[in-house]
Amino acid sequence: MFTGKGGVGKTTLSSASALFFSQKYKVLLVSTDPSGSLKEIFGIDFGEGVKRVKESLDVVELTRDTVLRLWREKFGDEVYTVISSFFPVKEEILDYIEGAPGIDMEFMLDYVLTALKSGKYDLIIWDTAPTASILSLLQVQYMFYSHLTQAQRVYLKIKSFIKQVDPLSLIEKWRKLTAEIIDMLKNDTSAWIVSTPEKLPVEQALFLAKALQEFGIEVKGFILNKVLEEGICSECEFLEKKRKTQKKWINYLLNQAKFPVKVVYEFTEDPTNETFLSQISQTLYERVY
Ligand SMILES: Nc1ncnc2c1ncn2[C@@H]1O[C@H](COP(=O)(O)OP(=O)(O)OP(=O)(O)O)[C@@H](O)[C@H]1O
Ligand SMILES: [Mg+2]
């Protein structure tokens, strides 16, 4: 996964990496970034569902609407079965549940898990939404797990009053699924934390590294993006000052970071075509600062 503060280059670096690794492996690039910039990068309107971009590269943009529609298709009947065994409700209850915080986040990960288990891909590259939502996404996993554990207990207590169906097996199935998602995050996921060489993104990157590590996600390292190259214009006072400020935050990160730091330089043009993206991936997977 590529994670970090808004606008630091997560989508650009995810796309560059997806193109790079698809030369050797079967890759799925999943974006759960609400700004959905993959369309501009690949020149394709992804719409819903997986699109093949190259022989070994599939791309899917998971918007909240898509995720909720898929959630309903996959779990709607089951959820209704469980709830209607407790309360006399109509299927419209699903509209209400759909709006509950965390449902979309939980299902995004179920989508990734299904893709992983399909065996179709060697590597799944996940372009995440900015920091705050990724942290709540992780929190939601444990909330779901403990919620479903409680639901089982509650259900056992009132079991004798409910005759129509046995939702206990469904609750157990969801609980197992949540455990599998947590397991996937802990054992099959690693994170690159992206930052620009400025105070706020760097502080956030360090905070993220700690939070991800505490959760049990492997942190591969930091990527400092949009770094001004030394000597690009030694006579330009503004650029030189800017470079000095950047240097301060680069050093700060290097001092604080417990993981490798890689550097991607600032381009003069928007790195949205394959030539730039492949230049990025070369620096990314060769150079360590
Ligand atoms: N090394 C670079 N040099 C120049 N421009 C860059 C570089 N990396 C990214 N950009 C540009 O910076 C902008 C933000 O990049 P990108 O959309 O990849 O960030 P993001 O972290 O995905 O943003 P968001 O948090 O909004 O999803 C884009 O216009 C992108 O083309
Ligand atoms: Mg993005």
Side-chain angles (χ1 to χ4, degrees):
M1 64 192 270
F2 286 82
T3 181
K5 193 169 162 48
V8 291
K10 299 177 292 295
T11 302
T12 306
L13 299 177
S14 304
S15 306
S17 306
L19 284 165
F20 179 78
F21 287 112
S22 69
Q23 294 168 357
K24 252 192 162 178
Y25 303 103
K26 283 188 224 125
V27 177
L28 173 68
L29 171 61
V30 183
S31 174
T32 54
D33 165 3
S35 67
S37 309
L38 291 180
K39 180 178 164 210
E40 283 74 30
I41 291 183
F42 289 95
I44 296 172
D45 197 346
F46 288 100
E48 288 198 352
V50 175
K51 288 250 160 67
R52 177 135 307 171
V53 167
K54 282 187 179 296
E55 204 190 319
S56 293
L57 176 59
D58 285 354
V59 178
V60 62
E61 255 184 342
L62 289 179
T63 61
R64 190 180 142 82
D65 284 352
T66 310
V67 165
L68 290 179
R69 193 183 51 71
L70 293 171
W71 171 80
R72 225 175 157 120
E73 269 171 35
K74 191 166 170 184
F75 293 111
D77 285 349
E78 293 182 357
V79 171
Y80 181 66
T81 305
V82 171
I83 294 181
S84 58
S85 75
F86 286 86
F87 307 109
V89 285
K90 296 219 166 85
E91 286 215 28
E92 284 80 63
I93 188 73
L94 291 175
D95 296 333
Y96 172 73
I97 294 173
E98 200 176 84
I103 294 284
D104 55 333
M105 294 179 188
E106 182 65 14
F107 196 71
M108 271 177 195
L109 287 175
D110 176 72
Y111 188 95
V112 176
L113 179 68
T114 309
L116 180 73
K117 288 206 292 194
S118 74
K120 283 204 260 177
Y121 305 104
D122 303 313
L123 186 66
I124 297 174
I125 293 180
W126 177 21
D127 169 25
T128 70
T131 314
S133 40
I134 199 70
L135 289 179
S136 47
L137 183 141
L138 297 180
Q139 236 175 11
V140 158
Q141 304 314 310
Y142 284 120
M143 277 162 61
F144 249 71
Y145 192 78
S146 86
H147 173 80
L148 290 169
T149 308
Q150 278 166 25
Q152 262 181 337
R153 283 195 214 116
V154 169
Y155 177 75
L156 279 169
K157 276 189 193 154
I158 58 167
K159 197 171 189 297
S160 54
F161 302 110
I162 301 160
K163 299 274 185 289
Q164 309 107 299
V165 281
D166 175 14
L168 204 59
S169 58
L170 282 179
I171 294 179
E172 181 54 19
K173 188 177 128 187
W174 300 340
R175 211 168 70 100
K176 276 200 181 130
L177 189 62
T178 312
E180 263 189 279
I181 287 175
I182 293 173
D183 195 61
M184 169 182 79
L185 289 168
K186 287 186 169 177
N187 299 315
D188 301 307
T189 311
S190 49
W192 279 109
I193 303 172
V194 187
S195 178
T196 45
E198 298 159 283
K199 183 180 166 86
L200 302 187
V202 164
E203 296 282 17
Q204 218 173 83
L206 288 164
F207 174 73
L208 254 174
K210 207 162 155 267
L212 293 176
Q213 230 195 347
E214 272 166 22
F215 187 91
I217 294 179
E218 182 202 12
V219 177
K220 281 222 171 267
F222 297 94
I223 300 170
L224 273 172
N225 187 26
K226 304 193 196 179
V227 172
L228 292 171
E229 213 165 350
E230 212 156 319
I232 45 166
C233 181
S234 42
E235 290 92 52
C236 315
E237 200 185 330
F238 175 84
L239 278 183
E240 274 309 295
K241 270 193 180 162
K242 186 88 192 157
R243 234 177 46 74
K244 272 201 184 123
T245 313
Q246 287 201 349
K247 193 88 191 155
K248 179 171 141 193
W249 294 109
I250 293 172
N251 287 334
Y252 179 76
L253 182 67
L254 287 171
N255 282 331
Q256 304 275 325
K258 296 190 190 86
F259 305 100
V261 178
K262 294 194 174 207
V263 160
V264 174
Y265 290 112
E266 169 99 47
F267 287 89
T268 49
E269 289 168 58
D270 301 310
T272 49
N273 63 41
E274 273 197 43
T275 317
F276 283 121
L277 295 175
S278 93
Q279 270 183 45
I280 288 182
S281 57
Q282 271 161 28
T283 36
L284 209 53
Y285 299 107
E286 280 162 20
R287 194 188 313 222
V288 178
Y289 199 74

